[in-house]
């Protein structure tokens, strides 16, 4: 793995990049290994075990594999595009920092708040709850859904929610100790499942006698493939995690492209290998009926012992995703805090971590994290598309600026990413509008039971509203 990452030609770093190292006043403590594991760990979660059955239900065997390969290619296209931006502007903040520097402060304001309050905190809460809803109860053989304390207004605090809150508190405390401490934790949480799952797949493919191919007729439709691709798209999400901590990475002109592209490529290879293993061991028809593929094949290959081992690996992968998301959110929030976007207050890194921790815990205790995730789904696609479009803006406005890494395959690669991202955005929008149009024909009780179909549209409207409010506020300051 290390040898691959050290080969400059693999990710097309020009010789000129070595002659002009980036200078920065920020303390850079994360090495290439930390950065690589940040990318892989943020991508490698429970999704690769939950989503292949869903894709198998919607596609033929051939299209099943092509969809996972194509999803990896799009993630690599985004990684190559963001690698150019991050090496030009190697500071914390990611999307927010790029947009504030190259585009419009109001766009950056809307993106920053969607990222910090919605995407990052919502993801932290969702994954923390999932850890204590599935993996931990399976390992300990206990029911974590039991209530510890009942709320006066209904519902209550369960052991699942309590464990999720403790997880967020502990990882936030480690982050407060120092970014490097979280970086080492990320390396451990990522390296163990990454290496283990790779060899587990090779073991399964080499020792198990595969089942016959699918006997069900292939039913490929455009709508079905779009739904399948949406699932794969989110399974690959997290590849851009290090752009938010670019200010902490050593030798960013070299290590950011290597980590972004090398980490995304490694995860893609592992995903395709695992998807093939699932089909080989379970059979395509059985895979389509499976809820979680990882423990299913582990139970077939090695009984309860291997099934427990697989559960541990999935738990570590989830912890890596939580830790990586927490780091990204903290550094993005800090970048916003330095610009005074928290009620005109310039807040410290520790204060930002505390705010993120408290907000994530509130989401866990109230159960609002799933709602928040739905709210930000369209806005997340929009912010990512805006960021990748910046590469075209800067190539036009500042063609002579030094670029330690130039996006491979420009303009085709970033353009492909944009077309696919905007297609997904359009598909989501079409679905949401279609569902919304039927709400007004329902009975009143049925109407309120289906109002959650508005969530994606509502989240997009919040992004637009935040942009408008900040624009008016900026203009009012100029008048004064």
């Amino acid at each position: 793995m290390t040898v691959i990452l050290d080969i400059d030609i693999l990710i097309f770093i020009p010789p000129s990049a070595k002659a002009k190292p980036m200078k920065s006043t920020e303390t850079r403590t994360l090495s290439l290994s930390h950065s690589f594991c940040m990318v892989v760990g943020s991508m490698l979660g429970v999704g690769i075990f939950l989503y292949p059955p869903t894709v198998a239900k919607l596609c033929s065997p051939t299209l099943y594999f092509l969809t996972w390969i194509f999803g990896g290619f799009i993630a690599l296209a985004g990684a190559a595009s963001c690698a150019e931006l991050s090496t030009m502007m190697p500071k914390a903040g990611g999307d927010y920092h790029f947009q504030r520097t190259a585009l419009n402060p109001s766009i950056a304001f809307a993106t920053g708040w969607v990222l910090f309050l919605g995407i990052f905190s919502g993801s932290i809460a969702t994954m923390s709850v999932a850890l204590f809803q599935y993996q931990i109860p399976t390992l300990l053989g206990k029911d974590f859904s039991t209530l510890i304390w009942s709320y006066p207004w209904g519902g209550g605090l369960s052991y699942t929610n309590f464990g999720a809150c403790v997880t967020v508190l502990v990882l936030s405390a480690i982050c407060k100790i120092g970014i490097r401490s979280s970086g080492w934790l990320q390396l451990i949480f990522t390296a163990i499942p990454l290496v283990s799952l790779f060899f587990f797949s090779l073991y399964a493919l080499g020792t198990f006698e595969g089942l016959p191919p699918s006997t069900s007729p292939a039913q490929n439709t455009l709508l079905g493939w779009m739904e399948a691709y949406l699932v794969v798209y989110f399974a690959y999400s997290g590849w851009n995690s290090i752009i938010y901590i670019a200010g902490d990475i050593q030798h960013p002109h070299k290590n950011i492209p290597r980590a972004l592209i090398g980490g995304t490529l490694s995860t893609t290879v592992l995903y395709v290998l695992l998807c093939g293993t699932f089909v080989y061991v379970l059979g395509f028809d059985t895979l389509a009926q499976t809820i979680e593929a990882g423990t299913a094949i582990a139970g077939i290959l090695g009984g309860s012992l291997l099934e427990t081992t697989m559960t541990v690996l999935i738990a570590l992968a989830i912890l890596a995703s939580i830790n990586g998301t927490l780091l990204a959110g903290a550094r993005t929030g800090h970048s916003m805090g330095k610009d005074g976007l928290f009620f005109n207050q310039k807040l410290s890194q520790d204060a930002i971590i505390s705010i993120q921790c408290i907000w994530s815990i509130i989401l866990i205790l109230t159960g609002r994290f799933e709602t928040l995730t739905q709210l930000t789904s369209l806005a997340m696609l929009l912010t990512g598309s805006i960021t990748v479009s910046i590469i075209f803006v800067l190539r036009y406005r500042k063609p002579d600026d030094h670029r330690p890494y130039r996006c491979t395959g420009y303009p085709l690669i970033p353009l492909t990413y944009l077309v696919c991202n905007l297609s997904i955005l359009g598909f989501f929008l079409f679905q949401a509008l279609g569902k919304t149009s039927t709400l007004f024909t329902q009975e009143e009780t049925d109407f309120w039971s289906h109002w959650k179909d508005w969530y994606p549209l509502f989240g997009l409207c919040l992004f637009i509203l935040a942009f408008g409010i900040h624009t008016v506020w900026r203009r009012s300051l100029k008048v004064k």
Side-chain angles (χ1 to χ4, degrees):
M1 183 185 307
T2 305
V3 175
I4 294 177
L5 290 174
D6 283 338
I7 301 177
D8 290 350
I9 195 172
L10 176 64
I11 54 176
F12 304 98
I13 298 179
S16 59
K18 300 179 180 179
K20 299 181 180 180
M22 281 289 177
K23 295 181 180 180
S24 174
T25 58
E26 298 184 36
T27 302
R28 300 184 180 275
T29 59
L30 299 180
S31 66
L32 174 60
S33 298
H34 297 131
S35 305
F36 175 84
C37 287
M38 179 73 176
V39 174
V40 175
S42 297
M43 296 174 70
L44 183 60
V46 73
I48 185 56
F49 305 102
L50 291 177
Y51 295 156
T54 303
V55 178
K57 292 177 184 177
L58 298 168
C59 298
S60 66
T62 301
L63 193 59
Y64 165 86
F65 285 106
L66 290 177
T67 303
W68 282 101
I69 294 171
F70 182 70
F73 171 75
I74 295 301
L76 280 168
S81 302
C82 286
E84 177 171 324
L85 296 176
S86 293
T87 53
M88 288 184 70
M89 300 173 276
K91 293 185 178 181
D95 298 313
Y96 166 78
H97 173 60
F98 299 154
Q99 293 173 19
R100 185 173 178 83
T101 302
L103 296 178
N104 185 298
S106 296
I107 296 177
F109 173 86
T111 293
W113 281 107
V114 166
L115 286 170
F116 186 75
L117 290 181
I119 296 171
F120 292 136
S121 297
S123 297
I124 291 168
T126 301
M127 290 184 290
S128 299
V129 170
L131 180 65
F132 282 86
Q133 201 167 19
Y134 302 108
Q135 272 64 48
I136 301 300
T138 300
L139 291 172
L140 300 182
K142 294 183 179 181
D143 183 10
F144 274 61
S145 62
T146 306
L147 291 182
I148 301 174
W149 177 56
S150 298
Y151 301 147
W153 54 86
L157 175 66
S158 66
Y159 286 100
T160 295
N161 293 341
F162 179 76
C165 291
V166 171
T167 300
V168 175
L169 282 169
V170 171
L171 292 179
S172 297
I174 293 173
C175 189
K176 278 191 175 185
I177 294 173
I179 295 294
R180 189 168 179 82
S181 299
S182 292
W184 277 108
L185 199 64
Q186 185 74 9
L187 192 151
I188 295 170
F189 284 160
T190 301
I192 294 174
L194 175 64
V195 175
S196 300
L197 289 172
F198 177 77
F199 283 106
F200 171 77
S201 297
L202 295 181
Y203 167 77
L205 294 173
T207 61
F208 187 78
E209 185 175 349
L211 296 177
S214 172
T215 57
S216 300
Q219 296 180 349
N220 294 325
T221 64
L222 180 60
L223 181 62
W225 181 80
M226 284 296 291
E227 291 178 353
Y229 178 71
L230 289 178
V231 172
V232 172
Y233 176 86
F234 286 111
Y236 278 104
S237 62
W239 55 263
N240 60 341
S241 54
I242 66 166
I243 70 173
Y244 304 104
I245 60 168
D248 299 284
I249 297 174
Q250 300 169 356
H251 310 296
H253 61 292
K254 293 190 298 184
N255 288 346
I256 288 178
R258 289 174 175 176
L260 267 172
I261 299 175
T264 304
L265 182 60
S266 299
T267 307
T268 300
V269 171
L270 179 62
Y271 274 17
V272 174
L273 187 62
L274 283 171
C275 287
T277 304
F278 298 152
V279 173
Y280 185 75
V281 174
L282 296 174
F284 194 77
D285 296 334
T286 304
L287 174 63
Q289 305 302 319
T290 304
I291 297 176
E292 192 269 289
T295 52
I297 66 170
I300 293 175
L301 293 173
S304 59
L305 178 60
L306 192 56
E307 190 172 347
T308 300
T309 303
M310 180 62 73
T311 304
V312 172
L313 294 177
I314 295 174
L316 288 175
I318 294 175
L319 284 170
S321 293
I322 297 171
N323 189 61
T325 305
L326 193 150
L327 272 172
R331 298 304 284 146
T332 299
H334 188 217
S335 183
M336 295 167 59
K338 289 192 296 184
D339 293 334
L341 292 191
F342 285 92
F343 310 104
N344 282 336
Q345 298 296 316
K346 295 187 176 182
L347 302 180
S348 67
Q349 176 72 70
D350 285 353
I352 296 299
I353 295 173
S354 297
I355 292 172
Q356 179 176 252
C357 177
I358 292 170
W359 178 235
S360 298
I361 288 176
I362 290 174
L363 293 175
I364 291 170
L365 295 178
T366 59
R368 296 292 88 188
F369 52 89
E370 291 183 354
T371 300
L372 195 59
T373 302
Q374 292 175 335
L375 282 172
T376 55
S377 59
L378 284 180
M380 180 175 67
L381 291 169
L382 179 61
T383 57
S385 298
I386 292 172
T387 295
V388 172
S389 70
I390 292 175
I391 191 173
F392 294 98
V393 174
L394 293 181
R395 287 284 186 113
Y396 176 75
R397 290 181 180 174
K398 302 178 179 180
D400 299 326
D401 276 14
H402 176 58
R403 290 170 170 81
Y405 171 80
R406 300 180 73 89
C407 176
T408 304
Y410 176 88
L412 182 60
I413 291 296
L415 186 62
T416 301
Y417 179 87
L418 282 177
V419 169
C420 290
N421 233 26
L422 294 176
S423 297
I424 297 170
L425 179 62
F427 180 74
F428 259 136
L429 194 60
F430 174 78
Q431 276 198 323
L433 287 172
K435 291 177 180 178
T436 301
S437 65
T438 65
L439 296 181
F440 297 99
T441 64
Q442 307 290 335
E443 298 291 336
E444 184 176 353
T445 55
D446 194 37
F447 170 83
W448 288 112
S449 67
H450 288 81
W451 78 284
K452 65 180 181 180
D453 290 329
W454 289 15
Y455 284 173
L457 288 178
F458 186 58
L460 190 59
C461 289
L462 285 178
F463 177 88
I464 297 172
L465 180 63
F467 169 77
I469 290 174
H470 191 263
T471 300
V472 172
W473 178 69
R474 285 174 57 224
R475 289 179 179 176
S476 68
L477 291 180
K478 289 180 180 180
V479 170
K480 293 179 182 180

